Amino acid sequence: MALLRLEGVSKSFGALTVTDNVSFAVEPGQALGIIGPNGAGKSTLFNLITGNIAPGAGTIEFDGVDVTRQPPMQRVVAGIGRSFQIPQPFTNLSVYENLLVAAQFGGGRHRDVGGFCMDILDQTGLAKVADNTSGSLSLLQRKRLELARAMATSPKLILLDEIAGGLTEGECVALIQTIKSIHAAGTAIIWIEHVLHALNSVVERLMVLNFGKMLMIGDPAQVMASPEVKEIYLGIDV
Amino acid sequence: MKNTLTKSVAVLLFVGLALVPVLGTRAMVQDLFMVLTLLILALNWNMLAGFAGLVSVGQQAFVGIGAYAMFAAVILWGLDPLVGIAIGGVAAIVLAVPIAFFTFRLNGAYFAIGTWVAAEIVRLSLAQWKALGGGTGTSLPKGTTKDMFGVDLIKDALDMSSSAASDALTYWLALLLAAVTLVSGYVFLRSRMGLGLQAIRDNAEAARSVGVDPIRLKAAVYLLTAFGTGLCGALLFIQITRVTPDAAFDVVDWTAFVIFITVIGGIGTLPGPVVGVIVFYALQRTLADYGTIYLIVLGLIGIAIMLFARKGLWGIFTAKTGIELLLLRHRAPKRS
């Protein structure tokens, strides 16, 4: 059974259709990449999955339950974790407290919630700054915190929105390692990314969005090789 | 170490205040009673506006309903005023449910106006309650406060008059309620729910995305602070002994002054209302003889603080000295 299933999902803002009849499924533990030009509706798709915006049509099923009308909080508890494209830490709270909120309100139940958070901070390389205010973090650390906080909600599916954007090559490599280890632990991933080599080193399937429509979904190599993708996404004439 | 020091000072202060009815004059007891009740109201309003972001200017609804419920308990049902205090608190929670139902649909300034309108509606409705004197109000029957549970005990133990003993009793209740409100506020903010509130205050969208339900948490705070405000209202009017709709639902006495106290002390900090109430009392004592000028000065000070020291006097103190009290921080556990 699919972990996440979208069936004919559409969303319009006035005359502008940002998500146009999108259907796809993600199996448990699977990693799906999403690419597409700016304004293709990638982040909107995430907001539909997390419940931050409601679809105009279609259904969204998660873990066998129709969540189309559920508010974001309930979906987090059910197991959908997300990181924001622009990091949104709780700036007056410490790094550790950022995770503590997520661990206490998210989908997991912990006997040792402090230890659970510290494990994630170790894994994401933030243990050293655990007691620092999150407002004082560097960009890389903020991106890591986005990831760590999403992990702390104990998700079955984690949504990553351009988490590698703006990082140096070395930083990017380290981040990929972390994401691979999350994936290896059995968490399903949907990842929106412009840094293609980072994306393709993790995902098993790749989806291309353009003007809100799903253009193609399948094996990353095949998708990247298709003439349509080259033309629309990479702007190459064929 | 620093923590133990803080605790010892707090306990000493509490004991010192508790001894005022024994060692001090009756005027002192009555003055401090008003200070403590304002502190209780300010602690509740600070929790509401400073931590939950619910800027209500209608808290007089809960003071008033608490007072009226207490009067009803005494006059109509023949109960002890102390039982009336508990009924006042419960009545405030019951009233808070429909008020929240309507006002939680509003945000920011609209919420503020909504709570004020709601309080006015309750005031006008209670003015129709003929059994409690309608628009002109009513007084507690003569001797009610002297017959209050515990007054005789205090009178005999401390060898004082009945009215002094009843003053002492209400004073101790106010002190107890203030201490409980402060401590439980601290415990609440350190809890899971309190951490959720701080997350909402920082970034509501991100809070939702980690599973925090802002409406549910804010509603919980709204109901709890209504309870505390209602208890305080009932207690206040035992001391005042006379209730009218205008006095019980006075927006200046029970909300404007309370906002002033919280803002000058430091909104969104736990020690803020304590500092604020001390300053407020000092100003009141110095300026009381100047009539309306007193209110004008209060207003100017409030505006100055809002413009130049948004974290209030406590905020200035913390920034200058580095001393912080009642911190809400959760330290990361140390790894071996």
Side-chain angles (χ1 to χ4, degrees):
Chain A
M1 189 188 67
L3 180 62
L4 175 76
R5 182 186 298 282
L6 273 72
E7 209 69 64
V9 172
S10 296
K11 176 72 192 176
S12 307
F13 295 113
L16 183 70
T17 302
V18 281
T19 306
D20 193 352
N21 196 21
V22 170
S23 304
F24 68 92
V26 175
E27 303 297 320
Q30 199 180 48
L32 168 70
I34 301 181
I35 60 171
N38 289 327
K42 303 186 295 294
S43 290
T44 303
L45 189 60
F46 267 16
N47 283 328
L48 289 165
I49 297 172
T50 59
N52 286 73
I53 57 180
T59 57
I60 301 168
E61 233 176 68
F62 183 74
D63 219 1
V65 180
D66 184 345
V67 298
T68 315
R69 300 285 153 208
Q70 269 186 12
M73 300 78 75
Q74 269 183 40
R75 301 193 203 192
V76 176
V77 175
I80 303 180
R82 69 111 39 114
S83 77
F84 287 96
Q85 182 178 355
I86 299 159
Q88 307 212 7
F90 305 121
T91 43
N92 292 307
L93 299 186
S94 74
V95 170
Y96 170 72
E97 287 170 325
N98 267 265
L99 265 68
L100 198 58
V101 180
Q104 289 183 330
F105 283 90
R109 292 287 164 266
H110 314 281
R111 203 173 286 166
D112 172 21
V113 69
F116 171 77
C117 292
M118 288 312 289
D119 285 343
I120 296 174
L121 289 178
D122 276 333
Q123 200 184 342
T124 48
L126 290 169
K128 272 190 215 122
V129 291
D131 282 326
N132 295 18
T133 339
S134 65
S136 69
L137 297 183
S138 70
L139 176 67
L140 173 66
Q141 287 171 326
R142 281 174 187 237
K143 294 238 170 191
R144 287 177 175 277
L145 179 57
E146 276 296 315
L147 182 62
R149 198 174 61 187
M151 286 164 70
T153 63
S154 306
K156 293 174 186 148
L157 167 69
I158 194 164
L159 307 177
L160 307 175
D161 197 348
E162 296 196 20
I163 197 155
L167 299 184
T168 67
E169 191 54 40
E171 291 171 346
C172 193
V173 170
L175 194 67
I176 291 169
Q177 282 313 317
T178 313
I179 295 171
K180 276 185 173 164
S181 68
I182 296 168
H183 186 32
T187 309
I189 296 174
I190 305 181
W191 186 3
I192 294 173
E193 193 54 82
H194 285 303
V195 185
L196 292 178
H197 69 90
L199 190 64
N200 289 334
S201 68
V202 174
V203 301
E204 291 117 16
R205 286 201 307 158
L206 191 60
M207 176 201 291
V208 185
L209 275 181
N210 195 26
F211 293 113
K213 277 200 178 67
M214 195 172 82
L215 198 69
M216 197 173 281
I217 187 166
D219 176 71
Q222 281 173 14
V223 169
M224 293 307 294
S226 91
E228 280 165 290
V229 171
K230 282 186 176 163
E231 184 180 337
I232 290 163
Y233 183 64
L234 302 172
I236 301 167
D237 266 332
V238 231
Chain B
M1 175 60 209
K2 214 175 102 190
N3 222 333
T4 357
L5 185 71
T6 315
K7 271 184 198 151
S8 330
V9 171
V11 169
L12 276 179
L13 193 66
F14 182 81
V15 172
L17 282 170
L19 287 175
V20 169
V22 184
L23 305 172
T25 64
R26 241 186 107 183
M28 269 171 85
V29 173
Q30 287 173 350
D31 264 17
L32 280 175
F33 173 82
M34 285 315 284
V35 172
L36 286 169
T37 48
L38 280 174
L39 176 61
I40 298 163
L41 296 178
L43 287 169
N44 279 294
W45 192 80
N46 185 39
M47 187 63 75
L48 202 58
F51 289 100
L54 294 166
V55 181
S56 163
V57 288
Q59 291 310 94
Q60 68 275 18
F62 304 121
V63 173
I65 196 77
Y68 265 91
M70 187 275 293
F71 268 71
V74 172
I75 294 175
L76 305 180
W77 310 320
L79 297 169
D80 190 276
L82 298 190
V83 180
I85 295 176
I87 294 176
V90 173
I93 281 209
V94 172
L95 175 67
V97 174
I99 295 186
F101 180 79
F102 289 109
T103 54
F104 271 46
R105 286 147 206 274
L106 308 169
N107 277 318
Y110 296 95
F111 174 81
I113 295 165
T115 53
W116 193 350
V117 170
E120 282 301 293
I121 292 171
V122 182
R123 176 177 72 84
L124 293 169
S125 307
L126 284 180
Q128 306 304 312
W129 197 352
K130 293 290 183 286
L132 289 180
T136 50
T138 188
S139 299
L140 282 177
K142 223 170 173 358
T144 305
T145 51
K146 291 177 188 168
D147 295 338
M148 220 164 16
F149 177 82
V151 169
D152 270 343
L153 225 74
I154 297 169
K155 188 177 133 188
D156 294 343
L158 298 177
D159 189 28
M160 48 173 63
S161 71
S162 298
S163 27
S166 99
D167 278 355
L169 179 63
T170 49
Y171 170 85
W172 280 325
L173 285 175
L175 179 61
L176 185 69
L177 188 54
V180 168
T181 308
L182 186 61
V183 171
S184 60
Y186 176 70
V187 170
F188 176 81
L189 288 171
R190 290 267 309 160
S191 74
R192 170 178 176 271
M193 287 177 89
L195 191 60
L197 268 191
Q198 293 173 68
I200 295 166
R201 192 166 69 157
D202 267 11
N203 189 328
E205 198 191 353
R208 269 193 292 272
S209 82
V210 295
V212 180
D213 187 340
I215 301 288
R216 185 188 279 187
L217 275 184
K218 289 181 177 193
V221 174
Y222 191 74
L223 296 187
L224 286 173
T225 54
F227 180 66
T229 307
L231 289 178
C232 187
L235 184 58
L236 266 165
F237 279 83
I238 288 183
Q239 175 71 22
I240 297 171
T241 70
R242 174 165 178 78
V243 75
T244 65
D246 289 345
F249 292 89
D250 193 318
V251 64
V252 174
D253 281 350
W254 313 131
T255 299
F257 283 160
V258 167
I259 294 176
F260 174 83
I261 287 168
T262 313
V263 168
I264 59 164
I267 188 169
T269 66
L270 274 175
V274 181
V275 175
V277 86
I278 294 168
V279 173
F280 178 75
Y281 179 65
L283 285 173
Q284 210 178 30
R285 288 304 296 260
T286 11
L287 298 173
D289 300 336
Y290 297 96
T292 31
I293 292 189
Y294 154 63
L295 287 175
I296 295 170
V297 172
L298 276 191
L300 289 176
I301 293 174
I303 291 168
I305 298 256
M306 281 182 223
L307 285 177
F308 303 112
R310 302 201 58 172
K311 287 184 176 169
L313 296 173
W314 180 254
I316 297 176
F317 176 77
T318 307
K320 287 256 194 292
T321 60
I323 296 173
E324 295 184 88
L325 282 182
L326 298 175
L327 277 185
L328 303 171
R329 219 167 274 159
H330 298 256
R331 291 255 160 227
K334 287 283 165 278
R335 282 293 171 79
S336 45

